[in-house]
Amino acid sequence: MIRFGIFGAGRIGRVHAANVARLPGARLMAVFDVDRTSAAQLAASWGGEVRSEEAIFESRDIDAVVIATPAETHAALIERAAAAGKAIFCEKPIDKDLRRVRHVLDLVTARGVSLFMAFNRRFDPSFAELRNRLVAGEAGKPEMIFLTSRDPAPPALDYVARSGGLFRDMMIHDFDVARWLVGEEPERVFAVGGCFANPAIAQYGFVDTAVVMLWTPSGTIININCAMRATYGYDQRLEVHGSAGKLALDNRYATSVSMTGSAGSQRELPLAFFAERYADAYIRELTYFVECLENGIRPSPSGEDGFRALLLAEAAHRSRDQGTPVSIDGVLGTL
Amino acid sequence: MIRFGIFGAGRIGRVHAANVARLPGARLMAVFDVDRTSAAQLAASWGGEVRSEEAIFESRDIDAVVIATPAETHAALIERAAAAGKAIFCEKPIDKDLRRVRHVLDLVTARGVSLFMAFNRRFDPSFAELRNRLVAGEAGKPEMIFLTSRDPAPPALDYVARSGGLFRDMMIHDFDVARWLVGEEPERVFAVGGCFANPAIAQYGFVDTAVVMLWTPSGTIININCAMRATYGYDQRLEVHGSAGKLALDNRYATSVSMTGSAGSQRELPLAFFAERYADAYIRELTYFVECLENGIRPSPSGEDGFRALLLAEAAHRSRDQGTPVSIDGVLGTL
Amino acid sequence: MIRFGIFGAGRIGRVHAANVARLPGARLMAVFDVDRTSAAQLAASWGGEVRSEEAIFESRDIDAVVIATPAETHAALIERAAAAGKAIFCEKPIDKDLRRVRHVLDLVTARGVSLFMAFNRRFDPSFAELRNRLVAGEAGKPEMIFLTSRDPAPPALDYVARSGGLFRDMMIHDFDVARWLVGEEPERVFAVGGCFANPAIAQYGFVDTAVVMLWTPSGTIININCAMRATYGYDQRLEVHGSAGKLALDNRYATSVSMTGSAGSQRELPLAFFAERYADAYIRELTYFVECLENGIRPSPSGEDGFRALLLAEAAHRSRDQGTPVSIDGVLGTL
Amino acid sequence: MIRFGIFGAGRIGRVHAANVARLPGARLMAVFDVDRTSAAQLAASWGGEVRSEEAIFESRDIDAVVIATPAETHAALIERAAAAGKAIFCEKPIDKDLRRVRHVLDLVTARGVSLFMAFNRRFDPSFAELRNRLVAGEAGKPEMIFLTSRDPAPPALDYVARSGGLFRDMMIHDFDVARWLVGEEPERVFAVGGCFANPAIAQYGFVDTAVVMLWTPSGTIININCAMRATYGYDQRLEVHGSAGKLALDNRYATSVSMTGSAGSQRELPLAFFAERYADAYIRELTYFVECLENGIRPSPSGEDGFRALLLAEAAHRSRDQGTPVSIDGVLGTL
């Protein structure tokens, strides 16, 4: 039985709380949120009690913490959790600053605690199935990979301002998927982008729409496109063109109903957003995390994976700024 | 909070137990199974304790029972539950004998308890969406309805022998869907069928593959086909041809992955069987049942719906035996 | 080089004329139509000259005739063509009266001319591919076959009145496909139908929407549905459920474009009607007919196939009238 | 009536010859090929006679020429046709050298003849439909465009050597489609590529697999990927992500048949290669060219469009060589 404390009672915190509560082998002991009412509601729904941050770290009846607070608080919470010897289940990112991330990871390593980065795609049945078949060689050597990741609507401007921008906050998922699929580290990045959905985003030096190319030592070309606004909803697709064939992953839908009338054939939009699209992944990643803890296995993706995905995001950000390809080693050299 | 006792710790019993355990507002108090070990395992996983049938009916801490035992025990359990004043959530059928069903329903009515027949399709998001759009008039007046319902493989022969045959045990779901979609009672039935999957089934006077036509007072033609063996898995589809268009419902899949190689494009089989295909429906029907109890609403589909679906199955069975169309009123007259 | 005379300069006559003109190995010599202007236009577009019926039958420079006139003239034209020793390419039906058909076929046999019934589905690439794979055993023994055949809108009422009704004029194509797929003669037919698209059709004893079941000596169940009005256009589908799998044939579209916006994903309607949907089939059937003539091969489907398809239509008509299954032998016995 | 001479009796020459022969309003008068036997066979099949190049240019009974010879002969043939006052229907490219192309176009302009570049995609019903809907504003402002264009297998090495490489010989089609869709000239190009299908291609400084990004003055990001080898056949797709929605174009198939068995659901590969995939486009482009000539309209795409597409190919080639983005104006400045 793994006993959990959860930091953050917002949208994603509630998802994790419900999953902890439903998982045999896990128990929700405590919840913290700066908004005490939210924390209390979460505890009322899914068990556990409201505690302070301090209390959670000091609790002897808590084995692991879920960090689901705003991104800027992650690094400090990880450090305190590591110091307290708690296993850590953390939403991306560790931090938007690479040097800070490195510092946090060194501390985590020193303390020897488990740090799991909750990159949800890896636990989605479709992404996992595609990767299994790719790794098994069904498509041969991957030569070109295309990742599409579009949100229904851009977040609030102040969220964008704080988030570090599309590359660090949104495309970071795709960078992680890309690394996980190819099993090697991209060496160069080139990024193009613009502000189509909300021109005000440009004031922060960020974009809301971007296409990024990466290429790996073995030659695989990776092509990622993201948009913060797709009128047609949450668009999550993936295609691998390999030497032996093409593996593709399409969107998922709430129902399989279609209507055909005089105006043609119509079907519904894909599942609305991440909470719906990756509902299964959230259950599976938590289940996996608990199994790792129970069996003394280091969970993956790790903090190091979090660092590497952020590194690609940093490189993409700089490439877009500079209008030229950027080498990953070059970015590492500047840290 | 609705407190449940569950009869039956087999496949479907376990599904319902897990859903009761996970549903805020419901609690699993007791489990009964003739196999005491299965009952104990279920209780260990999802809470509650093992009790005898008698004890469950006498328990003051149980508000409702789930009946998920073999079909031949349903009628007696419903009667005892009704006598004990428990709300009843029952898997189909009530019984395979129509007169017995009528007798049970009379008793339930007399006792005033809620009897919910768990016809899962009605609670599946896709079936529910299609019906909502049909009822809203999107496809106009339904003129022809096609229901496809095929199982991966026939059940064990002794199960078939006891079940009352394909029409009563399998197509009964489609009869219920048909009634629910059109909102009127079919008046005639014609059935054709054969034994393709397992010729031994013929010895019981049953079939393993059948096509049935029904037509309603307003003229809608309903066409149902079932097969106990589809090499390609569990095939659940529906199409409504209406005066204003066509509403269709396709299969559901575990992933959205496809592979295209030199042999063409390939995608996986549909979700394997009822537990996977209707997993959401099982959650939704239990949630609905609990809400009904909490709000003093009679749940639907009712025992009467169970009777009506079985009546169509009986008519189909007779039609296939006799090789001619059979009128529903005629079947009613023989009871 | 096969030299053709064409009877009928209407829609389907123009299709055949264009195909004759474009086919190396065929030449259009003469056209007849009761509307001399139509005939002249056809000749102007695709070659040949306007001639009288008499002149075409007497022409020494004509090897074969295409009969694309209204159905009620087919029988007499076939008889005269047979008497004149011309090879015959005839649109369905030979006649709507089975005895008349038998008489015509006896004459054709006596004269020894080739009579080809232009059942277009057999020459469609998709139908042909499905049948090839079925015959090759890919789906195993066919157990249930479902044919869907719906028109965008009902024809003019006087056409319906003359045509012999949906079974003889429209579903006859599906009866032919069914026979061709299973390679055996259905032995019983049961038909249900109604007038949904145009209630005025009922005055002729005909229907505009129908579902028909047939079963064959080996047990295959065939299920055909037709509607004279589908708001969503021309709907031509086929599914074979066999002991080893499912072969399916879907609609065809003019383009592969789809649009996804806030209202969902939308794609166009299928190809509009028979001239568009079976454009390739019309070319292929004529090419085949010419090759048969050049190589001294009896073309298939033959007049006998035309008779057999009409026999099933007659049985369906009677079954629907009587409300009971009808045996094919029984219908034959009444001729 | 437009009277044609055709240069080239190879694969694409035969396609055009058949279309000329079948088009009312066009007539095939003469054929030239360095292989006199091929020329004679073409003439025997589709009409006309074998003539020398010289004779075709001097023929008074020839209004227009189709240039379907190897690419390196195009420029000289265009010049001679222009000098002879013939209208010109030319396969891409004009030449692989931009300066030579400019010179040829100047001559064509001076002579005032019509020069039509046969970019087939523009005349494909699906590409045309997508563009019509895009231009009509259905998807709003195009923000990202994705073009996929993959061949089943790489051509012979000596062909690759002479062709100018993937960008100039294959992706040139996609550059043309991109310009045609957005209606503005891309200003920068970035290209990545490698030799996966045939490493020997690298010796010529060419690639067989590439991803190219272009961006336009208004900000549209265009992403093109090509591969000379796709084990799954000829892959031609297009997706436009716009401010109001997504327009997509999928592959086309010879049949609509699918097979579902125990290994999943399977459908055939797309139409095999350009002759099959763009069969309709070849008919439509010739029909359009004839109509232009008959009505005194300048056909489009023009020679200038050919120049512009090649300019983008040149820029892509240089970008890939240099590993950096290349500006179109920069390339123009080097001519």
Side-chain angles (χ1 to χ4, degrees):
Chain A
M1 177 67 63
I2 307 298
R3 296 160 302 174
F4 279 89
I6 289 188
F7 294 97
R11 183 163 191 178
I12 189 69
R14 288 196 295 271
V15 169
H16 293 311
N19 291 336
V20 167
R22 285 172 181 147
L23 188 68
R27 186 168 300 162
L28 181 55
M29 306 302 293
V31 183
F32 167 80
D33 195 288
V34 289
D35 175 355
R36 207 184 154 81
T37 310
S38 296
Q41 283 173 348
L42 195 67
S45 296
W46 299 111
E49 58 186 17
V50 177
R51 296 189 195 163
S52 70
E53 287 177 291
E54 206 55 40
I56 288 176
F57 291 125
E58 289 173 2
S59 297
R60 308 194 96 182
D61 64 353
I62 286 180
D63 309 302
V65 295
V66 170
I67 301 178
T69 49
E72 54 269 33
T73 67
H74 289 188
L77 287 172
I78 294 171
E79 288 171 340
R80 293 171 71 188
K86 307 298 186 198
I88 306 162
F89 177 108
C90 187
E91 281 298 315
K92 61 88 192 153
I94 296 169
D95 194 82
K96 66 184 176 187
D97 181 79
L98 274 169
R99 286 187 229 183
R100 180 75 203 277
V101 173
R102 176 49 54 216
H103 184 80
V104 169
L105 294 181
D106 290 346
L107 191 72
V108 168
T109 304
R111 295 291 180 161
V113 299
S114 283
L115 170 55
F116 173 75
M117 292 306 297
F119 284 119
N120 51 16
R121 272 76 164 166
R122 294 201 189 196
F123 295 87
D124 174 70
S126 296
F127 278 85
E129 169 78 3
L130 186 145
R131 180 176 181 264
N132 285 344
R133 295 171 72 168
L134 182 64
V135 168
E138 226 178 290
K141 161 86 171 88
E143 295 171 355
M144 297 189 286
I145 295 180
F146 300 88
L147 279 155
T148 293
S149 183
R150 303 176 193 153
D151 283 359
L157 201 55
D158 69 320
Y159 175 89
V160 175
R162 280 181 291 117
S163 70
L166 179 146
F167 299 119
R168 297 188 188 99
D169 184 54
M170 185 176 166
M171 200 181 279
I172 192 170
H173 279 293
D174 306 289
F175 291 130
D176 180 65
V177 170
R179 292 182 60 249
W180 175 60
L181 288 177
V182 296
E184 54 178 340
E185 298 299 337
E187 53 189 14
R188 273 157 66 85
V189 174
F190 179 66
V192 191
C195 289
F196 297 116
N198 184 356
I201 289 173
Q203 69 188 281
Y204 305 105
F206 300 151
V207 295
D208 59 29
T209 307
V211 182
V212 171
M213 272 205 258
L214 305 93
W215 46 117
T216 72
S218 77
T220 302
I221 303 167
I222 299 160
N223 202 267
I224 305 174
N225 77 83
C226 284
M228 284 189 179
R229 179 263 293 118
T231 59
Y232 44 89
Y234 195 48
D235 198 358
Q236 305 276 297
R237 286 173 291 145
L238 164 55
E239 177 185 325
V240 179
H241 166 87
S243 59
K246 174 170 69 173
L247 277 164
L249 179 160
D250 209 339
N251 282 310
R252 302 283 295 168
Y253 297 83
T255 82
S256 57
V257 174
S258 64
M259 168 71 197
T260 308
S262 53
S265 183
Q266 180 269 348
R267 76 168 300 182
E268 70 194 19
L269 291 178
L271 286 166
F273 206 13
F274 62 88
E276 293 84 6
R277 173 63 185 84
Y278 295 112
D280 286 345
Y282 292 123
I283 295 170
R284 288 161 49 112
E285 68 184 17
L286 189 82
T287 305
Y288 163 81
F289 179 70
V290 166
E291 285 172 2
C292 284
L293 297 191
E294 283 176 340
N295 296 293
I297 297 166
R298 286 277 152 194
S300 166
S302 66
E304 205 58 36
D305 291 305
F307 175 80
R308 278 281 160 181
L310 189 69
L311 180 60
L312 296 177
E314 182 65 30
H317 185 80
R318 294 186 190 182
S319 170
R320 198 262 161 182
D321 260 11
Q322 299 162 15
T324 56
V326 161
S327 93
I328 302 304
D329 281 351
V331 176
L332 274 173
T334 65
L335 297 186
Chain B
M1 178 66 63
I2 306 297
R3 297 161 301 173
F4 279 89
I6 291 189
F7 293 99
R11 183 164 192 179
I12 190 68
R14 287 196 296 270
V15 168
H16 292 311
N19 291 336
V20 167
R22 284 171 181 150
L23 186 69
R27 185 168 300 161
L28 181 53
M29 306 303 291
V31 182
F32 167 81
D33 196 288
V34 289
D35 174 355
R36 206 181 154 82
T37 310
S38 296
Q41 283 172 348
L42 193 69
S45 295
W46 299 111
E49 57 186 18
V50 176
R51 296 189 195 164
S52 70
E53 288 177 290
E54 205 55 39
I56 289 178
F57 289 125
E58 288 172 4
S59 297
R60 306 193 99 182
D61 64 353
I62 286 179
D63 308 303
V65 295
V66 169
I67 300 178
T69 48
E72 54 268 35
T73 67
H74 290 188
L77 287 171
I78 295 172
E79 288 172 339
R80 293 171 71 188
K86 308 298 187 196
I88 307 162
F89 177 108
C90 186
E91 282 298 316
K92 61 87 193 157
I94 296 169
D95 194 82
K96 64 183 177 189
D97 181 80
L98 275 169
R99 285 186 230 184
R100 181 76 202 275
V101 173
R102 176 49 55 214
H103 183 79
V104 169
L105 293 182
D106 290 346
L107 190 71
V108 168
T109 304
R111 296 291 180 164
V113 299
S114 283
L115 169 56
F116 173 76
M117 291 308 297
F119 283 120
N120 51 15
R121 273 75 164 167
R122 294 199 189 197
F123 295 88
D124 173 69
S126 296
F127 278 85
E129 170 77 3
L130 186 146
R131 180 175 181 265
N132 285 344
R133 295 171 73 167
L134 181 64
V135 168
E138 229 178 285
K141 162 81 172 90
E143 295 170 356
M144 296 190 288
I145 295 180
F146 300 88
L147 280 155
T148 293
S149 184
R150 302 176 194 154
D151 283 359
L157 200 55
D158 68 320
Y159 175 89
V160 175
R162 281 182 290 115
S163 71
L166 179 146
F167 299 118
R168 297 188 189 100
D169 184 54
M170 184 176 168
M171 199 181 280
I172 192 171
H173 278 293
D174 306 288
F175 291 130
D176 180 64
V177 170
R179 290 181 62 248
W180 175 59
L181 289 176
V182 297
E184 52 178 341
E185 299 299 337
E187 51 189 15
R188 272 156 68 85
V189 174
F190 180 66
V192 190
C195 287
F196 298 115
N198 184 356
I201 289 173
Q203 69 188 280
Y204 306 106
F206 299 152
V207 294
D208 60 28
T209 306
V211 183
V212 170
M213 271 203 257
L214 306 92
W215 45 116
T216 71
S218 78
T220 302
I221 302 167
I222 298 160
N223 202 267
I224 305 174
N225 76 84
C226 283
M228 283 191 179
R229 179 262 292 118
T231 60
Y232 43 88
Y234 194 48
D235 198 356
Q236 304 278 296
R237 287 173 290 147
L238 165 56
E239 177 185 325
V240 179
H241 166 86
S243 58
K246 173 170 68 174
L247 278 163
L249 180 160
D250 209 339
N251 282 311
R252 303 283 294 169
Y253 297 83
T255 83
S256 57
V257 173
S258 63
M259 168 70 197
T260 308
S262 53
S265 182
Q266 181 269 347
R267 77 166 301 181
E268 71 194 19
L269 291 178
L271 287 165
F273 206 13
F274 62 89
E276 294 83 5
R277 173 63 184 85
Y278 294 111
D280 286 345
Y282 292 124
I283 295 170
R284 289 161 49 113
E285 68 184 17
L286 189 83
T287 306
Y288 162 81
F289 179 68
V290 165
E291 285 171 3
C292 283
L293 296 191
E294 283 175 342
N295 296 291
I297 296 167
R298 286 277 151 194
S300 165
S302 66
E304 204 59 36
D305 290 305
F307 175 80
R308 277 281 160 181
L310 188 69
L311 179 61
L312 296 177
E314 181 65 31
H317 184 82
R318 295 187 189 180
S319 170
R320 197 261 161 183
D321 260 11
Q322 300 161 14
T324 55
V326 161
S327 94
I328 303 305
D329 281 352
V331 177
L332 275 173
T334 65
L335 300 183
Chain C
M1 177 67 62
I2 307 297
R3 297 162 299 173
F4 279 88
I6 290 188
F7 293 98
R11 182 162 192 180
I12 190 68
R14 288 197 296 271
V15 168
H16 292 311
N19 290 336
V20 167
R22 283 170 182 149
L23 186 69
R27 186 167 300 162
L28 181 54
M29 306 302 292
V31 183
F32 167 80
D33 196 288
V34 289
D35 175 355
R36 207 182 154 83
T37 310
S38 296
Q41 283 171 349
L42 193 68
S45 296
W46 299 111
E49 58 186 17
V50 176
R51 295 190 196 163
S52 70
E53 288 177 291
E54 205 55 40
I56 289 177
F57 289 125
E58 288 173 3
S59 297
R60 305 194 99 180
D61 64 353
I62 287 179
D63 307 303
V65 295
V66 169
I67 300 178
T69 48
E72 54 269 36
T73 67
H74 289 187
L77 287 171
I78 294 172
E79 288 171 339
R80 291 172 70 189
K86 308 297 187 197
I88 306 162
F89 177 108
C90 187
E91 282 297 317
K92 60 87 194 159
I94 296 169
D95 194 82
K96 66 185 176 188
D97 181 81
L98 274 169
R99 285 187 229 183
R100 180 76 203 275
V101 173
R102 177 47 56 215
H103 183 80
V104 168
L105 294 181
D106 290 345
L107 190 71
V108 168
T109 304
R111 294 292 181 163
V113 299
S114 283
L115 169 56
F116 174 75
M117 291 308 297
F119 283 119
N120 51 15
R121 272 77 163 166
R122 294 200 189 197
F123 295 87
D124 174 69
S126 296
F127 279 85
E129 170 78 2
L130 186 145
R131 181 175 180 265
N132 286 344
R133 295 171 73 168
L134 182 64
V135 168
E138 228 178 288
K141 160 83 173 87
E143 295 170 355
M144 296 189 287
I145 295 180
F146 299 89
L147 280 154
T148 292
S149 183
R150 302 177 194 154
D151 284 358
L157 200 55
D158 68 319
Y159 175 88
V160 175
R162 280 182 290 117
S163 70
L166 180 146
F167 300 117
R168 297 189 188 100
D169 184 54
M170 184 175 168
M171 199 181 279
I172 192 170
H173 278 293
D174 305 288
F175 290 129
D176 180 65
V177 170
R179 291 182 61 248
W180 175 60
L181 288 176
V182 296
E184 54 178 341
E185 300 299 337
E187 52 189 15
R188 272 155 67 86
V189 174
F190 180 65
V192 190
C195 288
F196 297 116
N198 185 356
I201 288 173
Q203 68 188 282
Y204 305 106
F206 300 151
V207 295
D208 59 30
T209 306
V211 182
V212 171
M213 272 204 257
L214 306 93
W215 45 117
T216 72
S218 78
T220 302
I221 302 168
I222 299 159
N223 203 268
I224 305 174
N225 77 83
C226 284
M228 284 190 178
R229 180 261 294 118
T231 60
Y232 43 88
Y234 194 49
D235 198 357
Q236 304 277 297
R237 287 173 290 147
L238 165 56
E239 176 184 327
V240 179
H241 166 86
S243 58
K246 173 171 70 174
L247 278 164
L249 179 161
D250 209 340
N251 282 311
R252 302 283 295 167
Y253 297 84
T255 83
S256 57
V257 174
S258 64
M259 168 71 198
T260 309
S262 53
S265 184
Q266 179 272 345
R267 77 166 301 183
E268 70 195 19
L269 291 178
L271 287 166
F273 206 11
F274 62 88
E276 294 83 6
R277 174 62 186 84
Y278 294 111
D280 287 345
Y282 292 124
I283 295 171
R284 288 160 49 111
E285 67 184 18
L286 189 82
T287 305
Y288 163 81
F289 178 69
V290 165
E291 286 171 3
C292 284
L293 297 192
E294 282 176 341
N295 296 292
I297 297 167
R298 286 277 151 194
S300 165
S302 65
E304 204 58 36
D305 291 305
F307 175 81
R308 277 281 161 182
L310 189 69
L311 178 61
L312 297 177
E314 180 67 28
H317 184 81
R318 294 186 190 182
S319 170
R320 197 264 161 181
D321 260 12
Q322 300 162 14
T324 56
V326 161
S327 93
I328 303 304
D329 282 350
V331 176
L332 275 173
T334 65
L335 299 185
Chain D
M1 177 68 62
I2 306 298
R3 296 161 302 174
F4 280 88
I6 289 188
F7 294 98
R11 183 165 191 177
I12 189 69
R14 287 196 296 271
V15 169
H16 291 311
N19 290 337
V20 167
R22 283 172 183 147
L23 187 67
R27 186 168 301 163
L28 181 55
M29 307 301 293
V31 182
F32 167 81
D33 196 288
V34 290
D35 175 355
R36 208 185 152 81
T37 310
S38 296
Q41 282 171 348
L42 194 68
S45 295
W46 299 111
E49 58 186 18
V50 176
R51 295 189 196 164
S52 71
E53 286 177 290
E54 205 55 39
I56 289 177
F57 289 125
E58 289 173 2
S59 297
R60 308 195 97 182
D61 65 353
I62 287 180
D63 307 303
V65 295
V66 169
I67 300 178
T69 49
E72 53 269 34
T73 67
H74 289 188
L77 287 172
I78 295 172
E79 288 171 340
R80 292 172 72 189
K86 308 298 187 197
I88 306 162
F89 177 108
C90 187
E91 280 299 315
K92 61 87 194 158
I94 296 170
D95 194 83
K96 66 185 176 186
D97 182 79
L98 274 169
R99 286 187 231 185
R100 181 75 203 276
V101 173
R102 176 49 55 215
H103 183 78
V104 168
L105 294 182
D106 290 345
L107 190 72
V108 167
T109 304
R111 295 291 180 162
V113 299
S114 283
L115 170 56
F116 173 76
M117 291 306 297
F119 283 120
N120 51 16
R121 273 76 163 165
R122 294 201 190 197
F123 295 88
D124 173 68
S126 295
F127 278 85
E129 170 77 3
L130 185 145
R131 181 176 181 264
N132 285 344
R133 295 171 72 167
L134 182 64
V135 168
E138 228 178 288
K141 161 85 172 87
E143 295 170 355
M144 297 190 287
I145 294 180
F146 300 88
L147 279 154
T148 292
S149 183
R150 303 177 193 154
D151 282 359
L157 201 55
D158 68 320
Y159 175 88
V160 175
R162 283 181 289 116
S163 72
L166 179 146
F167 299 119
R168 296 187 188 101
D169 184 54
M170 185 176 166
M171 201 182 278
I172 192 170
H173 278 293
D174 306 288
F175 290 130
D176 180 65
V177 170
R179 292 181 61 248
W180 175 61
L181 288 178
V182 296
E184 54 178 342
E185 299 299 336
E187 54 188 14
R188 273 157 68 85
V189 174
F190 180 65
V192 190
C195 288
F196 298 115
N198 184 356
I201 288 173
Q203 68 188 282
Y204 306 105
F206 299 150
V207 294
D208 60 29
T209 306
V211 182
V212 171
M213 271 203 257
L214 306 94
W215 45 117
T216 71
S218 77
T220 302
I221 302 168
I222 298 159
N223 203 268
I224 304 175
N225 77 84
C226 283
M228 283 190 179
R229 180 264 293 119
T231 59
Y232 44 88
Y234 194 50
D235 198 356
Q236 305 276 298
R237 285 172 292 145
L238 164 56
E239 176 184 325
V240 180
H241 166 86
S243 58
K246 174 170 68 173
L247 277 164
L249 179 160
D250 210 339
N251 283 311
R252 302 284 294 170
Y253 297 84
T255 81
S256 56
V257 173
S258 64
M259 169 70 197
T260 308
S262 53
S265 181
Q266 179 270 347
R267 75 167 301 181
E268 70 195 17
L269 292 177
L271 286 166
F273 206 12
F274 62 89
E276 294 82 7
R277 173 63 185 84
Y278 294 111
D280 286 345
Y282 292 123
I283 295 170
R284 287 161 49 113
E285 68 185 17
L286 189 84
T287 306
Y288 163 80
F289 178 68
V290 165
E291 285 171 2
C292 284
L293 297 191
E294 283 176 341
N295 296 292
I297 297 167
R298 287 276 151 195
S300 166
S302 66
E304 205 58 36
D305 291 306
F307 175 81
R308 278 279 159 184
L310 189 69
L311 179 61
L312 296 177
E314 180 65 30
H317 184 81
R318 296 186 188 181
S319 170
R320 197 263 161 181
D321 260 12
Q322 299 161 16
T324 56
V326 161
S327 93
I328 302 304
D329 281 352
V331 176
L332 274 174
T334 66
L335 299 185

